[in-house]
Amino acid sequence: MTLLLLLLIGLLNLSSATISDMNDEINLRSLDEMVPYGVKSVHADVVSPAPRTAHPVTLCVVDSGIFRDHNDFPAEFISGDDSVRAGQWDNDVNGHGTHVAGILAAQGNNGVGTRGIIGNLTTSNINLHITRSHGANGAGGLMSDVLAAVIQCRQKGAKVINLSVGCNNCYSPVTDALFSELYEEGTLVVAAAGNDGSTNKKYPASYKGVVSVGSVTYFDSLSSATQTNDQIEFTAPGSGVYSTSIYQNRYTTKHGTSMASPHVSGVAALVWSHYPNCSAKQIRNVLAHSARDLGTSPGCDMEFGFGVPEADKALDYLSREGCEGVEMMLSGEGGCDIAQLTNTKFIPEADKALDYLAREGCEGVEMMLSGEGGCDIAQLVDSRVQDRGKTLEGMNSFEEVSSSPSMSPKNNSIRRCAEKKATCSSHKMCCSSNCSFKKFECK
């Protein structure tokens, strides 16, 4: 592991990663505590934190640091490591890391501000550790700095690492191998998918060993600039997310997959804190089993992944099955790459078959079987996500091009129109070659 890491850092000194997002820097001064919609969306507000033990789960945030003296942070329960290049971990002058940390760990039930996914860091079985990879402006951080911060997380025994950072055109097979090795060793890395509104793959989110997270709105629709590709594993609230600011007792709203990622890493840590003997693979699979399915087609897809993880359903699953009883349906390749479709039973039901044909007709039947028999399925996911023609050269700013809370209807329509060729009566969205973008119906 050590030789691989040293080699990796030596190879990647020129790769850049950035962390900026759209934000409404209004610096609200809050007198009453508000539970953000994101906490409710992942059902963290109905889950009691596991009581602290001698071996808590460590959740590590790689970002621009944290303003630890904010009134909504229990400072004595937050630790960190400095970066030689980026600076002190508890001196965040950018604000991005402080906002991400607040989504995770803003203190609940203290009567002011907001609360994070964890709820109460002072009594929960979770440690929050901060490492710094970026400086004041959020841009220009080297990928080697990010990886050095990841190594610091691992050295502190982190079970979950949140990476709300990323870059364009920076795939490296060596880095890919590193994240796969971390995953095999028992660390779950969760990363922001990116915000240029295309199907382009951003890294580290699109590495196989990393959980890639896209963004949805308050209404569970896709955020306007979130990435959509075959590595998207989950989506989570990322539009208009209210959290802590770098000014004491003040708060701000930001948009982006950077905000979505900590919702997933927070749920992972929250669930893991209740079942610390589970493996990273088991926790990853539990989140997939218990996610709220979104989109027009059932199951995992390249827009929403498995959907939004729900903490209470994940805990219910583990209370029934235990760690050893978790169905391991994920192969570890990321996105919707499912190793097996067991436990779905697939018992033929005449009424459901007739209902399906009534909706789709013979020509509208999705041909998922290859004809090889058994579970040999030709494809698990419809290739319905088309490139929206938007690419960025160089660094990825991870910045939403619009603060609009919902996906552009026209772009949504274009993808839906390309999705299937069938009659209008079979589909909610437009479905033939001639479409009306205004009414989402076929002419």
Side-chain angles (χ1 to χ4, degrees):
M1 181 70 172
T2 302
L3 291 177
L4 177 60
L5 296 177
L6 291 174
L7 174 62
L8 185 60
I9 292 174
L11 288 173
L12 296 175
N13 282 332
L14 299 180
S15 298
S16 299
T18 59
I19 58 174
S20 59
D21 301 274
M22 286 289 292
N23 66 87
D24 301 324
E25 196 70 45
I26 50 181
N27 294 324
L28 299 173
R29 183 180 294 275
S30 180
L31 300 178
D32 298 311
E33 184 171 277
M34 180 185 74
V35 179
Y37 84 92
V39 172
K40 297 178 180 179
S41 178
V42 298
H43 295 189
D45 59 322
V46 297
V47 173
S48 299
R52 184 168 290 273
T53 68
H55 302 286
V57 170
T58 296
L59 168 58
C60 192
V61 177
V62 176
D63 216 289
S64 64
I66 187 175
F67 178 62
R68 190 172 57 157
D69 291 335
H70 193 287
N71 289 358
D72 236 351
F73 287 136
E76 65 274 22
F77 291 90
I78 302 174
S79 57
D81 286 311
D82 296 336
S83 166
V84 173
R85 279 173 40 84
Q88 291 180 291
W89 68 272
D90 57 352
N91 184 32
D92 180 16
V93 296
N94 173 274
H96 190 275
T98 297
H99 197 273
V100 168
I103 294 170
L104 290 165
Q107 186 69 12
N109 298 320
N110 62 354
V112 297
T114 184
R115 62 149 286 177
I117 302 297
I118 297 171
N120 191 340
L121 194 62
T122 62
T123 60
S124 72
N125 197 34
I126 299 174
N127 283 338
L128 183 64
H129 192 78
I130 307 295
T131 59
R132 187 165 177 173
S133 60
H134 286 72
N137 63 0
L142 300 180
M143 185 55 69
S144 58
D145 294 329
V146 174
L147 294 171
V150 168
I151 295 168
Q152 289 176 319
C153 291
R154 190 68 187 99
Q155 290 173 338
K156 289 298 189 296
K159 290 285 191 179
V160 183
I161 299 175
N162 186 83
L163 295 174
S164 290
V165 301
C167 57
N168 285 323
N169 304 317
C170 59
Y171 173 82
S172 163
V174 180
T175 314
D176 197 358
L178 166 68
F179 282 110
S180 291
E181 186 172 342
L182 284 172
Y183 180 53
E184 291 297 325
E185 287 183 351
T187 302
L188 192 63
V189 180
V190 181
N195 303 311
D196 70 20
S198 75
T199 59
N200 295 337
K201 292 180 180 179
K202 311 296 181 179
Y203 297 93
S206 292
Y207 286 124
K208 296 188 295 291
V210 178
V211 176
S212 179
V213 182
S215 171
V216 293
T217 72
Y218 177 89
F219 301 102
D220 275 351
S221 59
L222 282 177
S223 299
S224 59
T226 185
Q227 300 304 95
T228 53
N229 55 54
D230 61 10
Q231 286 300 112
I232 298 294
E233 197 158 330
F234 299 104
T235 43
S239 293
V241 178
Y242 183 73
S243 186
T244 45
S245 169
I246 54 175
Y247 301 101
Q248 192 168 10
N249 202 31
R250 290 182 182 269
Y251 304 83
T252 186
T253 299
K254 290 181 180 289
H255 313 268
T257 57
S258 285
M259 285 62 253
S261 180
H263 284 88
V264 176
S265 60
V267 169
L270 186 61
V271 172
W272 216 339
S273 71
H274 284 263
Y275 291 89
N277 292 327
C278 284
S279 68
K281 293 180 180 180
Q282 289 165 340
I283 294 297
R284 188 175 186 176
N285 276 269
V286 166
L287 296 186
H289 279 295
S290 56
R292 181 171 69 256
D293 188 24
L294 301 177
T296 57
S297 299
C300 188
D301 59 63
M302 290 189 285
E303 293 178 331
F304 297 94
F306 287 97
V308 178
E310 296 181 335
D312 58 339
K313 290 183 179 178
L315 290 173
D316 287 345
Y317 185 100
L318 284 170
S319 69
R320 294 193 311 270
E321 307 293 339
C323 297
E324 297 304 318
V326 175
E327 182 196 356
M328 306 298 284
M329 69 175 181
L330 301 178
S331 66
E333 297 296 309
C336 294
D337 187 16
I338 300 176
Q340 55 184 354
L341 291 175
T342 58
N343 204 32
T344 53
K345 305 304 181 187
F346 285 108
I347 300 173
E349 297 179 86
D351 59 339
K352 291 184 179 179
L354 290 173
D355 287 343
Y356 184 94
L357 285 171
R359 294 193 313 270
E360 308 292 342
C362 297
E363 297 301 319
V365 174
E366 182 183 1
M367 307 301 285
M368 70 175 183
L369 301 179
S370 65
E372 299 298 311
C375 292
D376 187 13
I377 295 178
Q379 55 185 4
L380 289 173
V381 182
D382 217 346
S383 299
R384 54 184 167 283
V385 180
Q386 306 296 321
D387 193 332
R388 301 177 212 167
K390 296 166 61 177
T391 58
L392 297 176
E393 298 298 329
M395 292 188 300
N396 172 28
S397 69
F398 269 35
E399 180 175 343
E400 289 204 9
V401 296
S402 170
S403 60
S404 171
S406 61
M407 173 62 76
S408 165
K410 183 172 181 179
N411 286 340
N412 214 7
S413 301
I414 292 171
R415 291 200 305 278
R416 301 303 180 195
C417 290
E419 183 176 339
K420 292 184 182 288
K421 293 181 180 179
T423 60
C424 293
S425 61
S426 299
H427 299 280
K428 294 180 180 179
M429 293 295 188
C430 56
C431 44
S432 72
S433 58
N434 297 317
C435 301
S436 167
F437 295 134
K438 293 182 179 179
K439 294 184 179 181
F440 292 94
E441 62 188 13
C442 298
K443 291 181 178 177

